[in-house]
Amino acid sequence: MLTIFRRQYQIAEQTSLTLFPQMKSVLQQLMYNQKHLFVVSSKHSTPLKRNLVQLHIAEYFQAVVGSDQVTHFKPAPDGVLQVLNQYSLSKDDSIMIGDAIFDLQMGQAANIHTCGVTWGAHSVNELNKQHPDYLLNTVSDLLTIH
């Protein structure tokens, strides 16, 4: 059953996975601005990396941390702390950006800034309840946070 599920999941990825409008150009600009970009996901690292390659955005991320690479999943801070430690990054200069409350909770648990984005999983109301440092409505707004 798991083999069948994985095969069907890959078919679904190939037919329905798309980027939000402007995402690639915003990632390009962030990289040009010398921002260090990482992905910390609840998804296993194998399909996560495959998705980034399929979307032609893998080159914008220094590393990814999937659910198979942490002991405790979101909202635990393990993934963020792993990135901070491995790349010697300052908590003061780091921001967890996410579309789900669990992303914001993970960033807060890691003691870093948080940014909710309203074009994804959870509603503006749900994101606001987490008191993120930033709440953005468009992909291009990502260029406005410091």
Side-chain angles (χ1 to χ4, degrees), residues 12-111:
E13 287 176 327
Q14 293 167 359
T15 59
S16 63
L17 192 63
T18 59
L19 283 176
F20 289 104
Q22 298 184 306
M23 185 58 74
K24 189 167 186 173
S25 63
V26 167
L27 290 172
Q28 288 170 334
Q29 186 63 47
L30 290 169
M31 189 174 182
Y32 178 80
N33 292 348
Q34 300 180 353
K35 301 297 182 185
H36 301 279
L37 305 176
F38 303 88
V39 177
V40 177
S41 178
S42 298
K43 189 179 279 193
H44 189 282
S45 63
T46 301
L48 174 58
K49 290 175 185 176
R50 184 176 61 238
N51 293 166
L52 295 175
V53 169
Q54 181 182 341
L55 293 169
H56 306 288
I57 59 171
E59 66 269 20
Y60 301 112
F61 298 97
Q62 283 185 250
V64 301
V65 176
S67 60
D68 56 306
Q69 298 170 296
V70 296
T71 304
H72 302 98
F73 308 121
K74 293 180 186 181
D78 296 28
V80 170
L81 295 176
Q82 182 177 328
V83 168
L84 292 172
N85 292 332
Q86 185 174 349
Y87 292 90
S88 301
L89 300 172
S90 163
K91 286 185 175 187
D92 292 336
D93 296 329
S94 298
I95 301 172
M96 177 62 202
I97 300 168
D99 66 345
I101 61 171
F102 311 110
D103 301 319
L104 301 176
Q105 292 168 353
M106 178 175 59
Q108 291 165 348
N111 250 350

Side-chain angles (χ1 to χ4, degrees), residues 1 5 7 10 18 21 24 28 38 45 47 62-63 78 92 97 105 121 126-127 129-130 138 144 146:
M1 189 160 28
F5 170 78
R7 191 175 323 127
Q10 286 182 354
T18 59
K24 189 167 186 173
Q28 288 170 334
F38 303 88
S45 63
Q62 283 185 250
D78 296 28
D92 292 336
I97 300 168
Q105 292 168 353
E126 291 172 305
L127 295 169
K129 288 179 183 177
Q130 300 305 311
T138 68
T144 67
H146 307 0

Side-chain angles (χ1 to χ4, degrees), residues 3-4 31 52 68 79 113 140:
T3 302
I4 292 169
M31 189 174 182
L52 295 175
D68 56 306
H113 299 285
S140 61

